[in-house]
Amino acid sequence: MANIISDETIEYVGILAKLELTDEEKERAKKDMGSMLDYIDKLGELDTRGVEPMSHVFPVNNVFREDVVTNGDEREAILKNAPEEKNGMFAVPRTFE
């Protein structure tokens, strides 16, 4: 394990994560973080020449549709459902004076 995680780093990460770790949990976290960093170092050894960088594993396309009005102005049909209407708007009881 080439990556040694210090006790201070574990303490700091615990504070950021708002965790109270026991000594056993701190030791396990140090070992796990070191293993993760070792794995990242191992990935850095790979020959990636000719591999195009990507931000996502799958091709991501714009899936949004064009914003087009399809129902038009149906104010009068909507206001037919209102219990009361005033000046082309819903009339509701006053909530405060």
Side-chain angles (χ1 to χ4, degrees):
M1 182 162 80
N3 291 294
I4 306 295
I5 306 297
S6 68
D7 292 333
E8 293 81 23
T9 301
I10 294 297
E11 288 288 332
Y12 183 65
V13 170
I15 290 168
L16 290 176
K18 298 187 185 308
L19 296 173
E20 290 184 27
L21 301 172
T22 65
D23 290 339
E24 180 182 308
E25 290 170 329
K26 289 177 187 176
E27 286 302 314
R28 193 169 59 222
K30 281 172 56 174
K31 182 181 173 201
D32 289 346
M33 290 174 91
S35 296
M36 286 185 260
L37 292 175
D38 287 341
Y39 184 71
I40 291 169
D41 287 345
K42 185 112 177 132
L43 289 175
E45 296 172 7
L46 292 173
D47 180 18
T48 57
R49 283 177 288 177
V51 177
E52 185 178 332
M54 65 174 106
S55 61
H56 200 279
V57 177
F58 301 107
V60 178
N61 300 317
N62 185 359
V63 294
F64 298 112
R65 63 173 171 74
E66 194 65 33
D67 190 15
V68 178
V69 176
T70 58
N71 58 351
D73 183 17
E74 297 181 12
R75 175 185 295 207
E76 300 204 7
I78 293 170
L79 286 174
K80 285 182 183 177
N81 293 318
E84 202 173 327
E85 177 257 331
K86 182 177 180 184
N87 298 331
M89 296 177 275
F90 285 92
V92 295
R94 185 174 279 196
T95 56
F96 59 91
E97 296 291 326

